[in-house]
Amino acid sequence: MVAALALTRTEMAGAHGGRVVALFDPNALIDAIARSGDRDAFAKLFDHFAPRLKGLLLRSGAPPELAEEVAQETMLTVWRKASLFDPAKASAATWIASIARNRRIDIARRDTRLRLSQVYEILDEDEPERPDDLLYGAERDALVRSAVSELSVDQLRVVELAFLQGCSHQEVASRLSIPLGTVKSRLRLAMAHLRGRLEDLR
């Protein structure tokens, strides 16, 4: 991802007398945003990096809506946290790629938790109503969210594919490009954790 995002000089520079004069300096643009909230600088940074982020996410298998969301939220984070960028520690492309990676993980975790909560709602649809349903439902939802939040990203992903999308263990392994044994191990750990934490719901 970083390599693709870093294609700046060859695309945005002109050669003069054997010298390469850079016309696009992401470090300077981020600095301008941090110092004065320079909207023109942000527009240039957005126009350069947002399409690249979206394209990379699409090529990595992300749905178009997710790719668009991650790209936009990444650039908004750049706007809000420009003052935290340190060119001595990482290049602009590396920093922005790191933000994008973290946003994708956060969104995947959020969406997976939502779908898992919906599964419990579906399972409860046929139960008879009780006077304390509202209280019970609130307590149940809080317990489910808490239990799911404790799963690792890897465990969440295999649970989603196996139980919410109906994939076989072999299909999960193929989709995630991991060994079948790893799929079974992650599922076993995830379900053991959920069973233990949700014992009170039975």
Side-chain angles (χ1 to χ4, degrees), residues 60-88:
S60 69
E65 297 81 5
L66 176 61
E68 181 73 26
E69 181 178 0
V70 171
Q72 291 190 7
E73 290 197 14
T74 295
M75 298 312 298
L76 287 176
T77 300
V78 170
W79 170 262
R80 292 194 299 265
K81 298 187 177 182
S83 61
L84 301 180
F85 173 61
D86 185 352

Side-chain angles (χ1 to χ4, degrees), residues 1 4-5 51-63 67 104:
M1 177 180 282
L5 292 181
R52 287 167 171 76
L53 285 169
K54 184 176 179 179
L56 289 169
L57 289 163
L58 288 171
R59 288 194 291 275
S60 69
R104 184 175 184 180

Side-chain angles (χ1 to χ4, degrees), residues 173-200:
S174 298
R175 291 271 297 270
L176 300 180
S177 299
I178 58 177
L180 180 59
T182 300
V183 171
K184 293 181 177 180
S185 175
R186 290 177 184 175
L187 279 173
R188 184 167 56 251
L189 291 172
M191 298 315 295
H193 169 76
L194 292 175
R195 278 196 296 271
R197 292 283 279 108
L198 302 178
E199 185 66 31
D200 291 342

Side-chain angles (χ1 to χ4, degrees), residues 13-27:
H16 298 277
R19 295 184 303 108
V20 175
V21 180
L23 302 178
F24 180 85
D25 185 349
N27 289 2

Side-chain angles (χ1 to χ4, degrees), residues 60-63 66 104-105 107-113 115-116 148 150-169 171-178 182-184 186-187 190-191 194:
S60 69
L66 176 61
R104 184 175 184 180
I105 291 172
I107 291 172
R109 188 193 297 268
R110 179 199 67 197
D111 290 347
T112 300
R113 288 173 186 166
R115 285 189 288 271
L116 285 172
V148 172
E150 295 166 358
L151 294 176
S152 69
V153 174
D154 290 337
Q155 290 173 350
L156 281 169
R157 186 59 176 147
V158 296
V159 168
E160 176 191 12
L161 290 173
F163 293 101
L164 302 185
Q165 297 187 24
C167 296
S168 67
H169 291 183
E171 288 172 336
V172 174
S174 298
R175 291 271 297 270
L176 300 180
S177 299
I178 58 177
T182 300
V183 171
K184 293 181 177 180
R186 290 177 184 175
L187 279 173
M191 298 315 295
L194 292 175

Side-chain angles (χ1 to χ4, degrees), residues 102-168:
N102 291 336
R103 289 303 302 136
R104 184 175 184 180
I105 291 172
D106 289 343
I107 291 172
R109 188 193 297 268
R110 179 199 67 197
D111 290 347
T112 300
R113 288 173 186 166
L114 175 62
R115 285 189 288 271
L116 285 172
S117 295
Q118 290 171 340
V119 169
Y120 284 94
E121 292 174 4
I122 292 171
L123 292 175
D124 285 345
E125 282 182 354
D126 296 330
E127 291 187 358
E129 293 185 0
R130 304 179 308 176
D132 60 345
D133 270 347
L134 290 178
L135 177 61
Y136 173 77
E139 292 176 343
R140 178 211 59 197
D141 291 346
L143 187 59
V144 169
R145 285 194 296 272
S146 176
V148 172
S149 70
E150 295 166 358
L151 294 176
S152 69
V153 174
D154 290 337
Q155 290 173 350
L156 281 169
R157 186 59 176 147
V158 296
V159 168
E160 176 191 12
L161 290 173
F163 293 101
L164 302 185
Q165 297 187 24
C167 296
S168 67

